[in-house]
Amino acid sequence: MTASNHPGPFDFDSTAQLVTQITAQLTTQLSHLGLSGARRGGHHAPRDRPPTLVAVAHGSRDPAAPRTVTALMGHVRALRPDVPVRIGHIELNQPLLADTLAALRGEAVVVPLLLGRGYHIKQDIPSAVAAAPHLTARIAAPLGPHPLLAEALHARLAEAGRRGVVPPGAGVVLAAAGSRDPDAAVDAARTAALLSARLGGVPVLPGYASGSGPTVPEAIRALAALGREPTAVASYFAAPGRFATQCAGAAPGIAAAPLGAHPAMARLVLHRYEQALTSAPLSHPAATVGV
């Protein structure tokens, strides 16, 4: 190659500056990574991967219960295919919540499929999360009370009724599991008010399968004393089970199915998930329930 065809000399000063800039950028990026390639600051998932949604079901000896929960999570996955979804049970069914959490890494949002505050919300779930310190976790609020639950309850009553949701002059008992925790009764009463508004002012009284407060038969008699007959029973249960069957058996008229895999339930699960991401504190050093 002749001198006339040889390219001009490199600008070594400009090249050195470029190398310096690239080196500085790489150093900055690598400073956020550990030797294993994970980001510093714990077992955080990659930024482009949403935290795992861990749905916490109560568990039941009724084989329809885990099938119902699985179907509900199928709706959740269809709505948000980018979000990893896992299921854990408090008791009776596999996998148990502790096992689900033990198998996870990175970030998780624990979403109780429970309808109000009580022992499981305040003790069992926070304890299970605290026993999984390898996770960066948030705990979402229980599903209830919320207008989406009233939407699902209204739909289940409509499915059970032959001529509209409830006959004229009738009343509704909101059949719930019950708890000794007074906050659970407050939450059920709020849901009853939401359902009443959804039904155009039809009286809705909570009735419980256990714990304190009126039983379902007592709530039915209270409505009858107000001249509200026949009485429909709205099943305030996330899935089939012994209590749901017991409450439906006490109904003198319409007995709605449990909330189950209704689309409004799936939307509510994702609402609680997103809500926890923006408002619920991290689980460490102590687990705290989102509001």
Side-chain angles (χ1 to χ4, degrees), residues 163-236:
R163 300 174 182 174
V165 177
V166 291
V172 174
V173 171
L174 183 70
S179 171
R180 294 185 181 89
D181 191 321
D183 287 337
V186 171
D187 292 343
R190 289 175 177 170
T191 298
L194 289 169
L195 180 58
S196 176
R198 182 93 187 189
L199 293 170
V202 170
V204 179
L205 294 182
Y208 303 102
S210 66
S212 58
T215 64
V216 170
E218 288 172 344
I220 291 171
R221 288 195 293 270
L223 284 170
L226 296 174
R228 292 286 178 168
E229 293 183 289
T231 301
V233 172
S235 186
Y236 196 42

Short mmCIF file of all heavy atoms in Angstrom, two decimals, residues 163-236:
data_model
loop_
_atom_site.label_atom_id
_atom_site.label_comp_id
_atom_site.label_asym_id
_atom_site.label_seq_id
_atom_site.Cartn_x
_atom_site.Cartn_y
_atom_site.Cartn_z
N ARG A 163 -85.98 -15.82 38.76
CA ARG A 163 -86.62 -14.61 38.21
C ARG A 163 -85.90 -13.39 38.79
O ARG A 163 -86.35 -12.78 39.74
CB ARG A 163 -88.10 -14.56 38.55
CG ARG A 163 -88.88 -15.74 37.99
CD ARG A 163 -90.32 -15.70 38.49
NE ARG A 163 -91.08 -16.85 38.01
CZ ARG A 163 -92.33 -17.12 38.40
NH1 ARG A 163 -92.94 -16.32 39.27
NH2 ARG A 163 -92.95 -18.18 37.92
N GLY A 164 -84.81 -13.07 38.19
CA GLY A 164 -84.05 -11.95 38.72
C GLY A 164 -83.14 -12.41 39.85
O GLY A 164 -83.02 -13.59 40.16
N VAL A 165 -82.51 -11.45 40.50
CA VAL A 165 -81.55 -11.76 41.56
C VAL A 165 -82.26 -12.26 42.80
O VAL A 165 -82.01 -13.36 43.28
CB VAL A 165 -80.69 -10.53 41.87
CG1 VAL A 165 -79.73 -10.83 43.03
CG2 VAL A 165 -79.88 -10.12 40.64
N VAL A 166 -83.13 -11.47 43.37
CA VAL A 166 -83.92 -11.89 44.54
C VAL A 166 -85.36 -11.42 44.31
O VAL A 166 -85.60 -10.39 43.68
CB VAL A 166 -83.38 -11.28 45.86
CG1 VAL A 166 -82.05 -11.90 46.22
CG2 VAL A 166 -83.26 -9.77 45.77
N PRO A 167 -86.34 -12.18 44.80
CA PRO A 167 -87.74 -11.78 44.60
C PRO A 167 -88.04 -10.47 45.31
O PRO A 167 -87.38 -10.09 46.29
CB PRO A 167 -88.52 -12.95 45.23
CG PRO A 167 -87.55 -14.08 45.29
CD PRO A 167 -86.21 -13.46 45.48
N PRO A 168 -89.05 -9.74 44.85
CA PRO A 168 -89.45 -8.49 45.53
C PRO A 168 -89.82 -8.76 46.98
O PRO A 168 -90.49 -9.75 47.29
CB PRO A 168 -90.67 -8.04 44.71
CG PRO A 168 -90.50 -8.69 43.37
CD PRO A 168 -89.84 -10.00 43.64
N GLY A 169 -89.39 -7.89 47.86
CA GLY A 169 -89.70 -8.03 49.28
C GLY A 169 -88.83 -8.99 50.03
O GLY A 169 -89.02 -9.19 51.24
N ALA A 170 -87.88 -9.63 49.35
CA ALA A 170 -87.02 -10.61 50.01
C ALA A 170 -85.84 -9.92 50.68
O ALA A 170 -85.62 -8.71 50.54
CB ALA A 170 -86.52 -11.64 49.01
N GLY A 171 -85.09 -10.68 51.41
CA GLY A 171 -83.84 -10.21 52.02
C GLY A 171 -82.73 -11.18 51.67
O GLY A 171 -82.96 -12.24 51.09
N VAL A 172 -81.52 -10.80 52.03
CA VAL A 172 -80.35 -11.62 51.71
C VAL A 172 -79.50 -11.78 52.96
O VAL A 172 -79.26 -10.81 53.70
CB VAL A 172 -79.50 -10.99 50.59
CG1 VAL A 172 -78.21 -11.76 50.37
CG2 VAL A 172 -80.30 -10.91 49.30
N VAL A 173 -79.04 -13.00 53.20
CA VAL A 173 -78.06 -13.26 54.24
C VAL A 173 -76.70 -13.46 53.58
O VAL A 173 -76.57 -14.27 52.65
CB VAL A 173 -78.42 -14.51 55.07
CG1 VAL A 173 -77.27 -14.89 56.00
CG2 VAL A 173 -79.68 -14.26 55.87
N LEU A 174 -75.74 -12.69 54.03
CA LEU A 174 -74.37 -12.86 53.56
C LEU A 174 -73.72 -13.91 54.44
O LEU A 174 -73.32 -13.65 55.58
CB LEU A 174 -73.61 -11.54 53.65
CG LEU A 174 -72.17 -11.56 53.10
CD1 LEU A 174 -72.16 -11.69 51.59
CD2 LEU A 174 -71.41 -10.32 53.55
N ALA A 175 -73.63 -15.14 53.94
CA ALA A 175 -73.13 -16.26 54.73
C ALA A 175 -71.60 -16.28 54.68
O ALA A 175 -71.01 -16.48 53.61
CB ALA A 175 -73.69 -17.56 54.21
N ALA A 176 -70.97 -16.10 55.83
CA ALA A 176 -69.52 -16.03 55.92
C ALA A 176 -68.99 -17.05 56.91
O ALA A 176 -69.75 -17.60 57.71
CB ALA A 176 -69.09 -14.62 56.33
N ALA A 177 -67.68 -17.28 56.87
CA ALA A 177 -67.09 -18.28 57.75
C ALA A 177 -67.17 -17.86 59.21
O ALA A 177 -67.46 -18.67 60.09
CB ALA A 177 -65.63 -18.51 57.36
N GLY A 178 -66.90 -16.59 59.50
CA GLY A 178 -66.92 -16.11 60.87
C GLY A 178 -65.56 -16.17 61.52
O GLY A 178 -64.66 -16.90 61.08
N SER A 179 -65.40 -15.38 62.56
CA SER A 179 -64.13 -15.29 63.28
C SER A 179 -64.37 -14.66 64.64
O SER A 179 -65.36 -13.94 64.84
CB SER A 179 -63.14 -14.43 62.47
OG SER A 179 -61.97 -14.15 63.22
N ARG A 180 -63.45 -14.92 65.56
CA ARG A 180 -63.53 -14.25 66.86
C ARG A 180 -62.94 -12.85 66.80
O ARG A 180 -63.09 -12.06 67.73
CB ARG A 180 -62.79 -15.07 67.92
CG ARG A 180 -63.43 -16.42 68.23
CD ARG A 180 -62.72 -17.13 69.37
NE ARG A 180 -63.31 -18.42 69.67
CZ ARG A 180 -62.94 -19.56 69.09
NH1 ARG A 180 -61.99 -19.54 68.16
NH2 ARG A 180 -63.52 -20.70 69.41
N ASP A 181 -62.24 -12.53 65.72
CA ASP A 181 -61.64 -11.22 65.55
C ASP A 181 -62.72 -10.22 65.16
O ASP A 181 -63.40 -10.39 64.14
CB ASP A 181 -60.56 -11.28 64.46
CG ASP A 181 -59.71 -10.02 64.40
OD1 ASP A 181 -60.26 -8.92 64.57
OD2 ASP A 181 -58.49 -10.15 64.18
N PRO A 182 -62.92 -9.16 65.94
CA PRO A 182 -63.99 -8.19 65.61
C PRO A 182 -63.77 -7.51 64.27
O PRO A 182 -64.73 -7.05 63.64
CB PRO A 182 -63.93 -7.19 66.77
CG PRO A 182 -62.59 -7.36 67.39
CD PRO A 182 -62.22 -8.80 67.20
N ASP A 183 -62.51 -7.42 63.80
CA ASP A 183 -62.26 -6.81 62.49
C ASP A 183 -62.90 -7.61 61.37
O ASP A 183 -63.30 -7.06 60.34
CB ASP A 183 -60.76 -6.68 62.23
CG ASP A 183 -60.12 -5.57 63.05
OD1 ASP A 183 -60.85 -4.65 63.48
OD2 ASP A 183 -58.90 -5.62 63.27
N ALA A 184 -63.00 -8.92 61.54
CA ALA A 184 -63.62 -9.76 60.53
C ALA A 184 -65.10 -9.41 60.38
O ALA A 184 -65.63 -9.36 59.25
CB ALA A 184 -63.45 -11.23 60.88
N ALA A 185 -65.78 -9.17 61.50
CA ALA A 185 -67.19 -8.79 61.45
C ALA A 185 -67.36 -7.42 60.80
O ALA A 185 -68.32 -7.19 60.06
CB ALA A 185 -67.78 -8.79 62.86
N VAL A 186 -66.45 -6.50 61.07
CA VAL A 186 -66.50 -5.18 60.44
C VAL A 186 -66.38 -5.32 58.92
O VAL A 186 -67.14 -4.69 58.17
CB VAL A 186 -65.37 -4.27 60.99
CG1 VAL A 186 -65.27 -2.99 60.19
CG2 VAL A 186 -65.63 -3.95 62.46
N ASP A 187 -65.46 -6.15 58.48
CA ASP A 187 -65.25 -6.34 57.04
C ASP A 187 -66.47 -6.98 56.39
O ASP A 187 -66.88 -6.60 55.28
CB ASP A 187 -64.01 -7.18 56.79
CG ASP A 187 -62.72 -6.46 57.17
OD1 ASP A 187 -62.76 -5.22 57.32
OD2 ASP A 187 -61.69 -7.14 57.33
N ALA A 188 -67.08 -7.97 57.06
CA ALA A 188 -68.27 -8.61 56.51
C ALA A 188 -69.43 -7.63 56.44
O ALA A 188 -70.20 -7.63 55.46
CB ALA A 188 -68.65 -9.82 57.36
N ALA A 189 -69.57 -6.78 57.45
CA ALA A 189 -70.65 -5.79 57.44
C ALA A 189 -70.48 -4.79 56.30
O ALA A 189 -71.46 -4.37 55.67
CB ALA A 189 -70.69 -5.05 58.78
N ARG A 190 -69.23 -4.43 56.01
CA ARG A 190 -68.98 -3.52 54.88
C ARG A 190 -69.34 -4.18 53.56
O ARG A 190 -69.92 -3.55 52.67
CB ARG A 190 -67.52 -3.09 54.89
CG ARG A 190 -67.17 -2.13 56.03
CD ARG A 190 -65.69 -1.84 56.05
NE ARG A 190 -65.35 -0.87 57.09
CZ ARG A 190 -64.11 -0.58 57.47
NH1 ARG A 190 -63.07 -1.20 56.90
NH2 ARG A 190 -63.89 0.31 58.42
N THR A 191 -69.02 -5.46 53.44
CA THR A 191 -69.39 -6.16 52.21
C THR A 191 -70.90 -6.29 52.09
O THR A 191 -71.47 -6.16 50.99
CB THR A 191 -68.74 -7.55 52.19
OG1 THR A 191 -67.32 -7.41 52.19
CG2 THR A 191 -69.15 -8.33 50.94
N ALA A 192 -71.58 -6.53 53.21
CA ALA A 192 -73.04 -6.61 53.19
C ALA A 192 -73.65 -5.28 52.71
O ALA A 192 -74.60 -5.28 51.91
CB ALA A 192 -73.57 -6.95 54.58
N ALA A 193 -73.08 -4.17 53.15
CA ALA A 193 -73.56 -2.86 52.71
C ALA A 193 -73.30 -2.65 51.22
O ALA A 193 -74.16 -2.11 50.49
CB ALA A 193 -72.89 -1.76 53.52
N LEU A 194 -72.15 -3.09 50.74
CA LEU A 194 -71.86 -2.97 49.31
C LEU A 194 -72.82 -3.81 48.47
O LEU A 194 -73.29 -3.38 47.41
CB LEU A 194 -70.41 -3.40 49.04
CG LEU A 194 -69.31 -2.47 49.53
CD1 LEU A 194 -67.94 -3.16 49.43
CD2 LEU A 194 -69.31 -1.17 48.73
N LEU A 195 -73.12 -5.03 48.94
CA LEU A 195 -74.04 -5.89 48.21
C LEU A 195 -75.45 -5.32 48.24
O LEU A 195 -76.17 -5.35 47.22
CB LEU A 195 -74.02 -7.30 48.80
CG LEU A 195 -74.96 -8.31 48.13
CD1 LEU A 195 -74.67 -8.45 46.64
CD2 LEU A 195 -74.86 -9.67 48.83
N SER A 196 -75.86 -4.77 49.38
CA SER A 196 -77.18 -4.15 49.48
C SER A 196 -77.33 -3.02 48.47
O SER A 196 -78.35 -2.91 47.78
CB SER A 196 -77.42 -3.63 50.90
OG SER A 196 -78.65 -2.95 51.00
N ALA A 197 -76.31 -2.19 48.37
CA ALA A 197 -76.34 -1.09 47.40
C ALA A 197 -76.40 -1.64 45.98
O ALA A 197 -77.11 -1.10 45.12
CB ALA A 197 -75.12 -0.20 47.58
N ARG A 198 -75.67 -2.71 45.74
CA ARG A 198 -75.65 -3.32 44.41
C ARG A 198 -77.03 -3.88 44.05
O ARG A 198 -77.43 -3.89 42.88
CB ARG A 198 -74.61 -4.44 44.39
CG ARG A 198 -74.45 -5.15 43.07
CD ARG A 198 -73.37 -4.53 42.25
NE ARG A 198 -73.32 -5.09 40.92
CZ ARG A 198 -72.35 -4.85 40.04
NH1 ARG A 198 -71.36 -4.04 40.35
NH2 ARG A 198 -72.36 -5.38 38.84
N LEU A 199 -77.78 -4.33 45.07
CA LEU A 199 -79.11 -4.91 44.86
C LEU A 199 -80.22 -3.86 44.92
O LEU A 199 -81.40 -4.22 44.96
CB LEU A 199 -79.37 -6.00 45.90
CG LEU A 199 -78.49 -7.25 45.80
CD1 LEU A 199 -78.68 -8.14 47.03
CD2 LEU A 199 -78.80 -8.02 44.53
N GLY A 200 -79.85 -2.60 44.96
CA GLY A 200 -80.85 -1.55 44.99
C GLY A 200 -81.49 -1.31 46.33
O GLY A 200 -82.65 -0.86 46.41
N GLY A 201 -80.78 -1.63 47.40
CA GLY A 201 -81.29 -1.37 48.74
C GLY A 201 -81.92 -2.56 49.42
O GLY A 201 -82.48 -2.41 50.53
N VAL A 202 -81.88 -3.74 48.82
CA VAL A 202 -82.39 -4.95 49.49
C VAL A 202 -81.60 -5.16 50.78
O VAL A 202 -80.37 -5.09 50.78
CB VAL A 202 -82.24 -6.18 48.57
CG1 VAL A 202 -82.54 -7.47 49.33
CG2 VAL A 202 -83.16 -6.06 47.37
N PRO A 203 -82.27 -5.42 51.92
CA PRO A 203 -81.53 -5.63 53.17
C PRO A 203 -80.61 -6.86 53.08
O PRO A 203 -81.03 -7.92 52.61
CB PRO A 203 -82.64 -5.86 54.20
CG PRO A 203 -83.86 -5.26 53.61
CD PRO A 203 -83.73 -5.44 52.12
N VAL A 204 -79.38 -6.70 53.53
CA VAL A 204 -78.41 -7.79 53.56
C VAL A 204 -77.83 -7.86 54.96
O VAL A 204 -77.24 -6.89 55.46
CB VAL A 204 -77.28 -7.59 52.53
CG1 VAL A 204 -76.28 -8.74 52.62
CG2 VAL A 204 -77.84 -7.47 51.12
N LEU A 205 -78.01 -9.01 55.62
CA LEU A 205 -77.48 -9.22 56.97
C LEU A 205 -76.40 -10.30 56.94
O LEU A 205 -76.61 -11.36 56.35
CB LEU A 205 -78.58 -9.64 57.94
CG LEU A 205 -79.69 -8.63 58.25
CD1 LEU A 205 -80.66 -9.24 59.27
CD2 LEU A 205 -79.11 -7.33 58.78
N PRO A 206 -75.27 -10.07 57.61
CA PRO A 206 -74.26 -11.14 57.70
C PRO A 206 -74.75 -12.25 58.63
O PRO A 206 -75.43 -12.01 59.63
CB PRO A 206 -73.04 -10.44 58.29
CG PRO A 206 -73.28 -8.97 58.10
CD PRO A 206 -74.76 -8.80 58.16
N GLY A 207 -74.40 -13.48 58.28
CA GLY A 207 -74.62 -14.64 59.13
C GLY A 207 -73.38 -15.51 59.06
O GLY A 207 -72.73 -15.57 58.01
N TYR A 208 -73.04 -16.18 60.16
CA TYR A 208 -71.73 -16.83 60.24
C TYR A 208 -71.84 -18.32 60.53
O TYR A 208 -72.73 -18.77 61.27
CB TYR A 208 -70.88 -16.14 61.32
CG TYR A 208 -70.71 -14.67 61.07
CD1 TYR A 208 -71.46 -13.73 61.78
CD2 TYR A 208 -69.81 -14.22 60.11
CE1 TYR A 208 -71.30 -12.37 61.54
CE2 TYR A 208 -69.65 -12.86 59.86
CZ TYR A 208 -70.40 -11.95 60.58
OH TYR A 208 -70.25 -10.60 60.32
N ALA A 209 -70.91 -19.06 59.97
CA ALA A 209 -70.85 -20.50 60.21
C ALA A 209 -70.11 -20.82 61.50
O ALA A 209 -70.27 -21.92 62.04
CB ALA A 209 -70.15 -21.19 59.04
N SER A 210 -69.30 -19.88 61.99
CA SER A 210 -68.55 -20.09 63.23
C SER A 210 -68.22 -18.74 63.82
O SER A 210 -68.55 -17.69 63.26
CB SER A 210 -67.26 -20.88 62.95
OG SER A 210 -66.38 -20.11 62.15
N GLY A 211 -67.52 -18.77 64.98
CA GLY A 211 -67.11 -17.53 65.62
C GLY A 211 -68.27 -16.81 66.27
O GLY A 211 -69.35 -17.37 66.52
N SER A 212 -68.07 -15.52 66.53
CA SER A 212 -69.11 -14.72 67.18
C SER A 212 -70.02 -14.12 66.13
O SER A 212 -69.72 -14.09 64.94
CB SER A 212 -68.46 -13.61 68.01
OG SER A 212 -67.64 -12.78 67.19
N GLY A 213 -71.16 -13.62 66.57
CA GLY A 213 -72.12 -13.03 65.66
C GLY A 213 -73.25 -13.98 65.35
O GLY A 213 -73.21 -15.17 65.70
N PRO A 214 -74.28 -13.49 64.69
CA PRO A 214 -75.45 -14.33 64.40
C PRO A 214 -75.10 -15.45 63.42
O PRO A 214 -74.29 -15.29 62.51
CB PRO A 214 -76.45 -13.36 63.77
CG PRO A 214 -75.60 -12.26 63.19
CD PRO A 214 -74.44 -12.13 64.13
N THR A 215 -75.71 -16.60 63.64
CA THR A 215 -75.55 -17.70 62.69
C THR A 215 -76.41 -17.40 61.46
O THR A 215 -77.24 -16.48 61.45
CB THR A 215 -76.00 -19.03 63.31
OG1 THR A 215 -77.41 -18.95 63.60
CG2 THR A 215 -75.22 -19.31 64.59
N VAL A 216 -76.25 -18.20 60.43
CA VAL A 216 -77.07 -18.01 59.23
C VAL A 216 -78.56 -18.21 59.55
O VAL A 216 -79.38 -17.38 59.16
CB VAL A 216 -76.60 -18.95 58.10
CG1 VAL A 216 -77.59 -18.95 56.94
CG2 VAL A 216 -75.21 -18.53 57.62
N PRO A 217 -78.95 -19.27 60.28
CA PRO A 217 -80.38 -19.39 60.63
C PRO A 217 -80.89 -18.20 61.45
O PRO A 217 -82.04 -17.76 61.26
CB PRO A 217 -80.43 -20.69 61.44
CG PRO A 217 -79.28 -21.50 60.92
CD PRO A 217 -78.20 -20.49 60.67
N GLU A 218 -80.06 -17.68 62.35
CA GLU A 218 -80.49 -16.51 63.14
C GLU A 218 -80.69 -15.29 62.26
O GLU A 218 -81.64 -14.51 62.44
CB GLU A 218 -79.46 -16.23 64.23
CG GLU A 218 -79.48 -17.26 65.37
CD GLU A 218 -78.33 -17.08 66.34
OE1 GLU A 218 -77.34 -16.39 66.00
OE2 GLU A 218 -78.39 -17.68 67.44
N ALA A 219 -79.80 -15.09 61.29
CA ALA A 219 -79.94 -13.95 60.38
C ALA A 219 -81.19 -14.11 59.50
O ALA A 219 -81.89 -13.13 59.21
CB ALA A 219 -78.69 -13.81 59.51
N ILE A 220 -81.49 -15.35 59.10
CA ILE A 220 -82.69 -15.61 58.32
C ILE A 220 -83.93 -15.27 59.13
O ILE A 220 -84.87 -14.62 58.63
CB ILE A 220 -82.72 -17.09 57.87
CG1 ILE A 220 -81.63 -17.34 56.81
CG2 ILE A 220 -84.10 -17.45 57.31
CD1 ILE A 220 -81.44 -18.81 56.48
N ARG A 221 -83.95 -15.65 60.41
CA ARG A 221 -85.11 -15.34 61.27
C ARG A 221 -85.23 -13.83 61.50
O ARG A 221 -86.35 -13.29 61.57
CB ARG A 221 -84.97 -16.08 62.60
CG ARG A 221 -85.19 -17.59 62.48
CD ARG A 221 -85.42 -18.23 63.83
NE ARG A 221 -84.22 -18.19 64.67
CZ ARG A 221 -83.28 -19.14 64.67
NH1 ARG A 221 -83.40 -20.21 63.86
NH2 ARG A 221 -82.24 -19.05 65.47
N ALA A 222 -84.09 -13.14 61.59
CA ALA A 222 -84.14 -11.69 61.79
C ALA A 222 -84.76 -10.99 60.58
O ALA A 222 -85.56 -10.05 60.73
CB ALA A 222 -82.73 -11.15 62.05
N LEU A 223 -84.44 -11.46 59.40
CA LEU A 223 -85.03 -10.87 58.20
C LEU A 223 -86.52 -11.21 58.11
O LEU A 223 -87.34 -10.37 57.70
CB LEU A 223 -84.30 -11.38 56.96
CG LEU A 223 -82.92 -10.76 56.70
CD1 LEU A 223 -82.18 -11.51 55.60
CD2 LEU A 223 -83.04 -9.29 56.34
N ALA A 224 -86.87 -12.43 58.50
CA ALA A 224 -88.29 -12.81 58.50
C ALA A 224 -89.09 -11.93 59.46
O ALA A 224 -90.23 -11.56 59.17
CB ALA A 224 -88.44 -14.28 58.87
N ALA A 225 -88.49 -11.59 60.60
CA ALA A 225 -89.16 -10.72 61.56
C ALA A 225 -89.39 -9.32 60.99
O ALA A 225 -90.31 -8.61 61.43
CB ALA A 225 -88.34 -10.62 62.84
N LEU A 226 -88.57 -8.95 60.01
CA LEU A 226 -88.75 -7.65 59.34
C LEU A 226 -89.71 -7.75 58.15
O LEU A 226 -89.92 -6.78 57.43
CB LEU A 226 -87.40 -7.13 58.85
CG LEU A 226 -86.36 -6.80 59.92
CD1 LEU A 226 -85.03 -6.45 59.27
CD2 LEU A 226 -86.85 -5.66 60.80
N GLY A 227 -90.29 -8.95 57.97
CA GLY A 227 -91.20 -9.14 56.85
C GLY A 227 -90.50 -9.41 55.54
O GLY A 227 -91.12 -9.30 54.47
N ARG A 228 -89.22 -9.76 55.63
CA ARG A 228 -88.44 -10.01 54.42
C ARG A 228 -88.37 -11.52 54.15
O ARG A 228 -87.53 -12.23 54.72
CB ARG A 228 -87.03 -9.43 54.57
CG ARG A 228 -87.01 -7.92 54.62
CD ARG A 228 -87.27 -7.36 53.22
NE ARG A 228 -87.31 -5.90 53.21
CZ ARG A 228 -87.30 -5.18 52.09
NH1 ARG A 228 -87.23 -5.79 50.92
NH2 ARG A 228 -87.36 -3.86 52.14
N GLU A 229 -89.31 -11.99 53.35
CA GLU A 229 -89.32 -13.40 52.98
C GLU A 229 -89.70 -13.53 51.51
O GLU A 229 -90.48 -12.70 51.00
CB GLU A 229 -90.31 -14.18 53.85
CG GLU A 229 -89.92 -14.28 55.30
CD GLU A 229 -90.89 -15.12 56.09
OE1 GLU A 229 -92.02 -14.66 56.32
OE2 GLU A 229 -90.52 -16.25 56.46
N PRO A 230 -89.20 -14.54 50.81
CA PRO A 230 -88.19 -15.51 51.26
C PRO A 230 -86.80 -14.87 51.34
O PRO A 230 -86.60 -13.76 50.84
CB PRO A 230 -88.23 -16.58 50.17
CG PRO A 230 -88.61 -15.81 48.94
CD PRO A 230 -89.57 -14.76 49.40
N THR A 231 -85.90 -15.57 51.94
CA THR A 231 -84.54 -15.07 52.11
C THR A 231 -83.58 -15.83 51.21
O THR A 231 -83.60 -17.07 51.17
CB THR A 231 -84.10 -15.22 53.58
OG1 THR A 231 -84.99 -14.49 54.41
CG2 THR A 231 -82.69 -14.68 53.76
N ALA A 232 -82.74 -15.08 50.51
CA ALA A 232 -81.69 -15.69 49.70
C ALA A 232 -80.40 -15.69 50.50
O ALA A 232 -80.16 -14.81 51.33
CB ALA A 232 -81.51 -14.91 48.40
N VAL A 233 -79.56 -16.67 50.26
CA VAL A 233 -78.26 -16.77 50.93
C VAL A 233 -77.16 -16.56 49.91
O VAL A 233 -77.05 -17.32 48.93
CB VAL A 233 -78.10 -18.13 51.64
CG1 VAL A 233 -76.66 -18.29 52.17
CG2 VAL A 233 -79.09 -18.25 52.79
N ALA A 234 -76.37 -15.53 50.13
CA ALA A 234 -75.19 -15.26 49.29
C ALA A 234 -73.99 -15.91 49.95
O ALA A 234 -73.70 -15.67 51.13
CB ALA A 234 -74.97 -13.76 49.15
N SER A 235 -73.31 -16.75 49.22
CA SER A 235 -72.19 -17.54 49.77
C SER A 235 -70.91 -16.72 49.72
O SER A 235 -70.29 -16.57 48.66
CB SER A 235 -72.03 -18.83 48.96
OG SER A 235 -71.06 -19.66 49.55
N TYR A 236 -70.53 -16.18 50.88
CA TYR A 236 -69.33 -15.34 50.97
C TYR A 236 -68.12 -16.21 51.29
O TYR A 236 -67.48 -16.08 52.33
CB TYR A 236 -69.55 -14.27 52.04
CG TYR A 236 -68.58 -13.11 51.99
CD1 TYR A 236 -68.23 -12.53 50.77
CD2 TYR A 236 -68.06 -12.57 53.15
CE1 TYR A 236 -67.36 -11.46 50.73
CE2 TYR A 236 -67.20 -11.49 53.12
CZ TYR A 236 -66.85 -10.95 51.90
OH TYR A 236 -65.98 -9.87 51.86
#
